[in-house]
Amino acid sequence: MLFSLTPRAALVAATFGLLAAASLPACKTTPNEGEKGGTAANDSVANKPAPVDTIKIKMLAARRDSLKADSIARKNGQLPGAILPGHRIVAFYGNIRSKGMGILGREPKEQMFRKFEGVLKEWQAADPSIPVQPALHNVTITAQGTAGKDGKWRLMNSKATIEEVIAWAREHKCILFLDVQPGHSTLPVELPKLEPYLKQPDIHLGIDPEFSLATMPGVRPNQRIGTLDAKDVNFTINFLARIVSENHLPPKVLTVHRFTRKMITNYKNIKLDPRVQVVMHMDGHGEPTLKKDSYHDYIQTEPVQYTGFKLFYEYDPKPKPHHMMTPVEVLTQLTPKPLYIQYQ
């Protein structure tokens, strides 16, 4: 589902035309006969360069760059440095400052990484045909139980916490996802806060509609399941694509959490860009049949690009005799086989 753009010839012509216009001085006007004292002033105005619409120039350049990226992707299947589909990402999720948000942070660091090494080996053994890419997935902007000073019900990790989780990831040769739960804020407000980190090639992004409540005034996080629209996903894709182009980076991976239909509305309007690899991630917990049905209903039957699947250490096995699905079960019972696996 590739996006449509202005034909290359028209776009290039428009870009060069705009740049050419920006480089030429305004035409001089000859004063009327009989006018006195106006020549110097008129020359001053005439010699002033025409205003340059820098925003429009940047937009045209970005679109031209996107055309180039798209042509490479069509020829080679993906852009240089792309993680998907040549790898399966396996991630530990949570927050390193919280024991309650997931396996990332629940156990002491070294104990957690020993467990992670075992999980990575299980996935590699379950499918030797595709290398496993380890990842940490840290909830970096987190929905809160209190409104906060600005009433937005979310809080960003400190710089020290973010730098620590980056160090954890690099120490163990992991890529890192920074996850955003907007609360009553919005993605256009929150995502720029993460741009300094996203300029780094090994840092990627996740967005969580469950905790996006800007369209639900008065609703607290965890009272109702939130929602994002295709336009919000498109904003995020464009935001990441710009960072990739401006910083000459390999494609970013974007995970979008989903376990109900209303969490993502108008999915058919999502416009893909080869600079961003979109994973629609089945984020629900429960017994295997429920999880497989959710994956079918909200991921398989409403395809976007790549797919993900979450496994819960605490919630999936309850009540007995339910169990957390094994790598072999996931790969043999889900279609398509997910290329992003997350443990919480």
Side-chain angles (χ1 to χ4, degrees), residues 13-41:
T15 304
F16 283 118
L18 186 59
L19 290 169
S23 65
L24 295 174
C27 297
K28 293 185 178 181
T29 302
T30 303
N32 293 329
E33 290 184 6
E35 290 183 350
K36 298 179 180 180
T39 303

Side-chain angles (χ1 to χ4, degrees), residues 94-239:
N95 183 297
I96 66 169
R97 296 286 187 258
S98 170
K99 292 183 180 297
M101 293 187 68
I103 185 61
L104 181 62
R106 181 180 301 134
E107 299 179 2
K109 175 187 173 185
E110 295 308 321
Q111 178 180 320
M112 185 270 293
F113 274 110
R114 284 195 296 271
K115 178 180 283 188
F116 193 29
E117 285 297 323
V119 169
L120 296 173
K121 290 177 181 177
E122 289 178 11
W123 278 96
Q124 195 62 80
D127 185 2
S129 70
I130 180 170
V132 168
Q133 169 62 62
L136 303 184
H137 197 120
N138 188 76
V139 186
T140 305
I141 298 177
T142 309
Q144 299 292 299
T146 56
K149 292 182 179 179
D150 61 0
K152 297 300 183 182
W153 300 83
R154 54 83 185 94
L155 181 67
M156 182 170 166
N157 284 167
S158 68
K159 180 180 179 182
T161 296
I162 298 172
E163 289 179 349
E164 184 173 352
V165 76
I166 291 173
W168 283 23
R170 289 174 178 167
E171 179 185 350
H172 291 270
K173 297 180 173 55
C174 299
I175 60 173
L176 175 64
F177 288 83
L178 304 180
D179 202 82
V180 178
Q181 300 175 351
H184 279 277
S185 186
T186 62
L187 294 175
V189 171
E190 299 302 317
L191 294 186
K193 299 175 184 177
L194 301 180
E195 183 165 348
Y197 306 104
L198 292 166
K199 289 179 179 180
Q200 301 175 57
D202 55 346
I203 299 181
H204 303 266
L205 183 66
I207 55 175
D208 195 345
E210 180 181 3
F211 299 100
S212 176
L213 303 164
T215 60
M216 303 177 184
V219 175
R220 299 169 63 177
N222 284 324
Q223 282 187 324
R224 287 173 59 187
I225 296 172
T227 185
L228 289 171
D229 187 69
K231 68 178 184 294
D232 303 302
V233 179
N234 289 338
F235 171 85
T236 307
I237 291 170
N238 292 334
F239 171 80

